[in-house]
Amino acid sequence: MTETIKDSVKAFIIENFLFGDTSYELADTASLIENDIIDSTGVLELVAFIEDRFGIAMTDADIVPANLDSLARISAFIAAKSAVPVSA
């Protein structure tokens, strides 16, 4: 995989929630919810992206801030579910 999990997720967030604004400095540990980057509808879009892009079937128990509230948490969650290294 040439693009890392984090890069793929970050590109999705920038394109879909920051409307392509690449000048926004999105820190790996910044809360996507507390910083008003995504809302509840955005979480559903993020879940659909993760399921489609990484082939992970997410349960209701997976859809919690501990897994989805930052780039670092999302990347770690995907890596754990798919056994793909966080960085290539």
Side-chain angles (χ1 to χ4, degrees):
M1 177 181 275
T2 56
E3 183 177 47
T4 66
I5 292 170
K6 184 174 71 172
D7 291 341
S8 181
V9 172
K10 186 173 186 173
F12 175 80
I13 291 170
I14 289 171
E15 184 63 32
N16 292 277
F17 304 117
L18 298 175
F19 308 104
D21 182 5
T22 56
S23 68
Y24 186 91
E25 297 207 19
L26 184 59
D28 291 352
T29 58
S31 170
L32 301 175
I33 295 169
E34 289 178 14
N35 289 304
D36 294 324
I37 296 170
I38 64 172
D39 57 14
S40 57
T41 303
V43 170
L44 296 177
E45 291 177 49
L46 180 60
V47 167
F49 165 75
I50 292 169
E51 289 181 333
D52 291 344
R53 173 71 173 80
F54 299 100
I56 297 170
M58 295 182 67
T59 65
D60 289 345
D62 293 329
I63 306 171
V64 294
N67 294 332
L68 303 174
D69 194 35
S70 69
L71 282 175
R73 288 178 181 199
I74 295 165
S75 298
F77 170 77
I78 293 169
K81 284 289 194 174
S82 63
V84 173
V86 173
S87 53

